[in-house]
C-alpha cells in the first residue's frame, strides 16, 4: 500500500508543479481536519490546486515515545490511539468566488504499540485502509487568499486557508 501512496503523490503533485512553472496559477493551502477515530482524531495537512485539479494530503502524526523501531518484549502494549493519514484528489468546479471540489482518496490507520524498556520505542502495526469520498467548499476572499471547508467519509471535517501563487 505504501507504494500506491507514493505513486499517487508523485503522479499528482509533479504535474501541478509543472503547471506552476509554465505560469498557471497555483493555490497552496494548509488545513486542520478531524478523522473518524476515537482518540487522536485531529490532524493537519496541505493542499495544492492547479488549473482544475486538487490534491491534498493529511495526517494526525500520532506516535509513541522514543524512536520508531520494531522491538517487542513482555511489556509491549497497545496504545489507545492510532496514526491516521489520507491522500485525496479532486476536480474543481468554479462558480465566481466559490469552488465546489468533489474528491476521492485513500485513508489509512495504524495501531501504535509501545515498548517501554530498556529504552522507549514504538512501532506501527495492523494497517487498515479506507475509501475517503468527500467534498470541499472553497471561497476566495480576495486575489490571494481563500478559505475552505471540507467533509468526507473518513476525513470527517476540515477547515483551512489557501494562498494563490502566480497571476490570476
Amino acid at each position: 500500500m505504501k507504494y500506491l501512496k507514493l505513486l499517487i503523490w508523485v503522479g499528482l503533485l509533479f504535474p501541478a508543479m509543472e503547471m506552476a512553472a509554465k505560469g498557471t496559477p497555483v493555490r497552496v493551502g494548509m488545513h486542520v481536519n478531524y478523522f473518524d477515530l476515537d482518540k487522536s482524531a485531529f490532524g493537519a495537512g496541505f493542499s495544492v490546486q492547479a488549473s482544475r485539479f486538487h490534491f491534498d494530503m493529511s495526517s494526525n502524526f500520532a506516535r509513541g515515545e522514543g524512536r520508531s523501531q520494531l522491538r517487542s518484549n513482555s511489556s509491549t502494549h497497545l496504545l489507545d490511539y492510532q496514526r491516521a493519514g489520507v491522500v485525496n484528489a479532486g476536480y474543481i468546479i468554479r462558480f465566481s468566488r466559490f469552488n465546489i471540489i468533489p474528491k476521492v482518496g485513500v485513508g489509512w490507520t495504524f495501531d501504535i504499540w509501545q515498548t517501554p524498556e530498556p529504552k522507549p520505542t514504538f512501532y506501527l502495526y495492523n494497517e487498515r485502509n479506507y475509501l475517503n469520498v468527500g467534498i470541499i467548499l472553497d471561497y476566495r476572499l480576495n486575489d490571494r487568499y481563500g478559505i475552505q471547508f471540507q467533509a468526507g467519509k473518513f476525513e470527517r471535517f476540515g477547515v483551512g486557508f489557501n494562498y494563490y501563487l502566480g497571476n490570476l
Side-chain angles (χ1 to χ4, degrees), residues 88-165:
N88 296 303
Y91 184 77
I92 301 170
I93 302 167
R94 292 195 167 99
F95 300 100
S96 177
R97 296 180 86 76
F98 284 98
N99 293 329
I100 296 175
I101 308 167
K103 66 179 182 174
V104 64
V106 177
W108 59 89
T109 61
F110 288 97
D111 293 332
I112 302 173
W113 289 81
Q114 181 73 49
T115 304
E117 298 171 4
K119 282 187 170 180
T121 61
F122 72 96
Y123 61 94
L124 305 175
Y125 184 73
N126 194 21
E127 179 180 7
R128 288 180 295 280
N129 297 301
Y130 303 92
L131 175 67
N132 185 52
V133 177
I135 192 162
I136 299 172
L137 300 175
D138 186 70
Y139 179 72
R140 192 172 66 207
L141 299 171
N142 59 30
D143 288 344
R144 290 284 175 211
Y145 297 100
I147 58 173
Q148 69 180 14
F149 300 95
Q150 55 185 324
K153 185 175 183 217
F154 176 68
E155 192 179 24
R156 291 294 180 168
F157 179 75
V159 63
F161 69 92
N162 297 316
Y163 181 76
Y164 295 82
L165 303 171

Side-chain angles (χ1 to χ4, degrees), residues 4-64:
L4 177 62
K5 295 171 198 169
L6 179 63
L7 177 66
I8 291 171
W9 189 81
V10 170
L12 299 177
L13 186 59
F14 285 150
M17 294 175 84
E18 182 180 343
M19 292 168 120
K22 290 181 179 178
T24 303
V26 174
R27 182 171 32 185
V28 295
M30 300 294 291
H31 56 271
V32 175
N33 53 5
Y34 180 77
F35 292 105
D36 186 17
L37 300 172
D38 293 333
K39 296 190 177 184
S40 64
F42 287 97
F46 72 93
S47 64
V48 175
Q49 296 176 4
S51 187
R52 293 196 175 262
F53 170 76
H54 170 87
F55 170 78
D56 68 52
M57 196 170 185
S58 303
S59 178
N60 67 351
F61 305 105
R63 55 180 285 133

Side-chain angles (χ1 to χ4, degrees), residues 63-65 77-82 111-114 122:
R63 55 180 285 133
E65 293 180 31
H77 61 280
L78 177 64
L79 297 179
D80 288 341
Y81 48 93
Q82 298 173 317
D111 293 332
I112 302 173
W113 289 81
Q114 181 73 49
F122 72 96

